[in-house]
């Protein structure tokens, strides 16, 4: 499944630790804006990264400036505000900053298809094989009513496919995220209109970054 495209050698590695420390800043995309075309357009990434992700970052900073949360790493902000009604706005924006940074790494140019490496073995052992994983992921991503996220996670020591609503995310449920797909309409509407199923299928066939999932297993 490894495609050797010399143009990709300049892109930053997406192996272990590639996400680095997620901060309250907008990280650059790990590839060019048009690198996921024709599957995800540069126009979508302009809006999704440059407007939506950027807005979550600026809103979060406004909400926490001058408070003790401003000095915490992003993951601590998320954990400190989860399930606290009065802090829901901070949680939502902090979680969406984290989710989007995680999303960019969950995709890569010429990705998708069958998993390689340890993640493939874990999918066979824990989920009954790639076909079953794919069906479960499609069901999770298309079945999430309204806005949210589909995930491949480690839960109780085993791989699992899940979905969350709005900004909710695995780390506040004791799970470790390995891979995600944004199923908010803003993620696919410009390219796929209402056809979420086609967007999910395209993600699985052409975009999934298994290197990133493998890096998150360690
Ligand atoms: Mn989004």
């Amino acid at each position: 499944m490894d495609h050797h495209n010399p143009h990709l050698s300049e892109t930053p590695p997406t192996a272990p630790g590639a996400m680095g420390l997620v901060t309250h800043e907008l990280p650059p995309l790990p590839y060019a804006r048009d690198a996921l075309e024709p599957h995800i357009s540069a126009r979508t990434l302009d809006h999704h990264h440059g407007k939506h992700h950027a807005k979550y970052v600026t809103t979060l900073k406004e909400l926490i400036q001058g408070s003790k949360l401003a000095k915490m790493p992003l993951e601590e902000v998320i954990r400190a505000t989860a399930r606290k009604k009065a802090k829901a706005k901070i949680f939502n924006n902090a979680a969406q900053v984290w989710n989007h940074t995680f999303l960019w790494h969950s995709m890569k140019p010429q990705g998708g298809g069958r998993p390689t490496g340890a993640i493939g073995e874990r999918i066979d052992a824990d989920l009954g094989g790639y076909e079953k994983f794919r069906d479960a992921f499609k069901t999770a991503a298309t079945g999430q009513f309204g806005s949210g996220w589909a995930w491949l996670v480690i839960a109780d020591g085993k791989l699992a496919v899940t979905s969350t609503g709005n900004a909710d995310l695995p780390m506040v449920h004791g799970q470790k995220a390995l891979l995600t797909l944004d199923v908010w309409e803003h993620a696919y509407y410009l390219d796929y209109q209402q056809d979420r199923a086609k967007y999910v299928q395209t993600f699985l066939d052409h975009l999934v970054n298994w290197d990133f999932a493998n890096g998150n297993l360690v």
Side-chain angles (χ1 to χ4, degrees):
M1 207 56 229
D2 218 19
H3 300 274
H4 293 282
N5 179 338
H7 300 294
L8 299 181
S9 58
E10 299 297 318
T11 56
T14 46
M19 246 179 83
L21 182 66
V22 186
T23 65
H24 314 333
E25 301 296 334
L26 181 67
L29 283 174
Y31 31 72
R33 294 248 153 148
D34 61 356
L36 304 183
E37 290 193 342
H39 311 298
I40 296 199
S41 64
R43 187 163 170 246
T44 287
L45 287 184
D46 273 343
H47 282 80
H48 199 181
H49 176 262
K51 301 278 197 294
H52 289 278
H53 192 176
K55 180 78 165 98
Y56 293 126
V57 170
T58 54
T59 304
L60 173 65
K61 286 163 83 166
E62 283 167 21
L63 289 170
I64 64 176
Q65 68 177 341
S67 82
K68 62 180 183 183
L69 293 171
K71 296 190 174 68
M72 290 181 185
L74 184 64
E75 294 197 3
E76 274 184 47
V77 175
I78 293 168
R79 291 179 201 282
T81 55
R83 286 182 282 270
K84 290 185 179 148
K85 214 170 172 186
K87 305 277 186 191
K89 206 169 173 190
I90 296 173
F91 170 80
N92 284 335
N93 282 279
Q96 284 294 76
V97 172
W98 194 96
N99 289 344
H100 282 87
T101 302
F102 199 80
L103 169 71
W104 309 133
H105 289 282
S106 293
M107 304 186 285
K108 69 171 186 177
Q110 300 178 347
R114 301 188 79 89
T116 51
I119 192 76
E121 291 163 27
R122 292 290 297 268
I123 285 173
D124 287 345
D126 294 349
L127 300 176
Y130 176 66
E131 280 70 24
K132 287 200 171 133
F133 156 77
R134 202 177 50 193
D135 289 347
F137 196 90
K138 278 195 254 186
T139 300
T142 57
Q144 172 61 39
F145 184 77
S147 297
W149 300 80
W151 303 90
L152 177 63
V153 300
I154 301 178
D156 300 322
K158 287 184 76 176
L159 259 58
V161 173
T162 66
S163 66
T164 58
N166 298 319
D168 195 16
L169 72 176
M171 76 172 77
V172 299
H173 301 283
Q175 302 168 350
K176 182 175 170 46
L178 302 176
L179 203 66
T180 196
L181 180 63
D182 188 345
V183 298
W184 285 57
E185 225 172 49
H186 68 225
Y188 59 89
Y189 201 83
L190 289 174
D191 295 326
Y192 297 90
Q193 289 74 54
Q194 81 297 337
D195 197 347
R196 190 192 288 185
K198 189 175 175 196
Y199 160 72
V200 174
Q201 186 69 52
T202 301
F203 171 76
L204 290 168
D205 290 344
H206 300 287
L207 295 170
V208 172
N209 184 351
W210 289 117
D211 301 334
F212 181 60
N214 271 310
N216 289 324
L217 266 184
V218 195

